[in-house]
Amino acid sequence: MRVVNRLLATVLALALAAGGVLVIVEVVAAALDRGPVWWDWRAAVRWTQRTAWEDTVVRVVCAILLAAGLLLLAAELTRPKLRRLRVAPRTDDARGEPIDTAYTRRGVAEAVRAAVTRVDGVRSARVTVKRRAVKVMATAASRDRTTLGRVADDTSEAAKEAVDRLRLRSAPSVSVRTRSA
């Protein structure tokens, strides 16, 4: 959502800057008794003088502006995607103050991936970290079913131990799927 907000803010800023430049040029041209430079603003003034607030065109434009404003408000008020996973609170021994610590999702994924790939028989692993779940897809080097079952158990245990070692405030569930190469 941050990318959308930044894009909307950039587009809005560019539109306002362009509008400001247009107004400045038109004001200077009007002060020098020249005609309209880029757009006929006098025709727009005449249109607004003969158009009432109750006209359909005015109501449609107001409805569009209201919808755009509500859309921008909803974009700003939506909860951002959780990018950090907070660690259980600890205190600083020297001052007794709580220490606020967190891991990025990428850091948690890398820690779990490193733990899983250290398991004997695992060739590679792909880890996805969400707010309440860690999903691991491990690729085993063997095609034997009994070996694959043992690797699946060891992989699941290694992933859960890695998440436990991180001491996250709200520990996510860990699901592990193992496939053969």
Side-chain angles (χ1 to χ4, degrees):
M1 191 55 88
R2 290 168 59 178
V3 174
V4 174
N5 287 346
R6 288 179 182 172
L7 183 64
L8 286 174
T10 303
V11 168
L12 186 60
L14 289 174
L16 288 174
V21 169
L22 277 172
V23 168
I24 291 170
V25 168
E26 293 296 336
V27 166
V28 169
L32 297 174
D33 287 332
R34 311 247 170 158
V37 178
W38 278 317
W39 61 291
D40 189 11
W41 56 271
R42 291 179 182 143
V45 169
R46 288 189 300 272
W47 180 82
T48 58
Q49 288 173 344
R50 69 175 184 268
T51 305
W53 283 103
E54 294 82 20
D55 285 356
T56 306
V57 175
V58 175
R59 290 184 180 203
V60 168
V61 169
C62 288
I64 290 171
L65 290 175
L66 178 66
L70 290 175
L71 183 68
L72 286 171
L73 182 65
E76 281 300 315
L77 293 179
T78 54
R79 189 172 182 185
K81 190 175 184 180
L82 181 66
R83 302 213 182 273
R84 298 178 346 133
L85 299 173
R86 295 179 70 183
V87 177
R90 291 186 278 179
T91 58
D92 183 13
D93 291 336
R95 290 183 272 172
E97 296 176 3
I99 300 173
D100 183 26
T101 313
Y103 296 110
T104 62
R105 286 183 184 207
R106 181 181 285 172
V108 173
E110 191 59 34
V112 173
R113 190 191 66 72
V116 167
T117 54
R118 280 194 297 264
V119 171
D120 189 33
V122 174
R123 178 179 291 174
S124 64
R126 190 177 73 228
V127 180
T128 305
V129 178
K130 295 189 178 177
R131 184 180 308 185
R132 293 185 179 96
V134 174
K135 295 180 182 180
V136 179
M137 172 57 85
T139 304
S142 175
R143 294 181 186 255
D144 182 34
R145 288 200 183 270
T146 57
T147 306
L148 192 60
R150 181 190 54 78
V151 168
D153 293 339
D154 293 347
T155 303
S156 179
E157 185 178 322
K160 288 177 183 173
E161 285 177 5
V163 170
D164 289 342
R165 270 195 313 264
L166 294 175
R167 295 185 37 191
L168 298 173
R169 181 172 285 181
S170 59
S173 64
V174 179
S175 63
V176 178
R177 288 182 36 206
T178 309
R179 64 180 181 180
S180 59

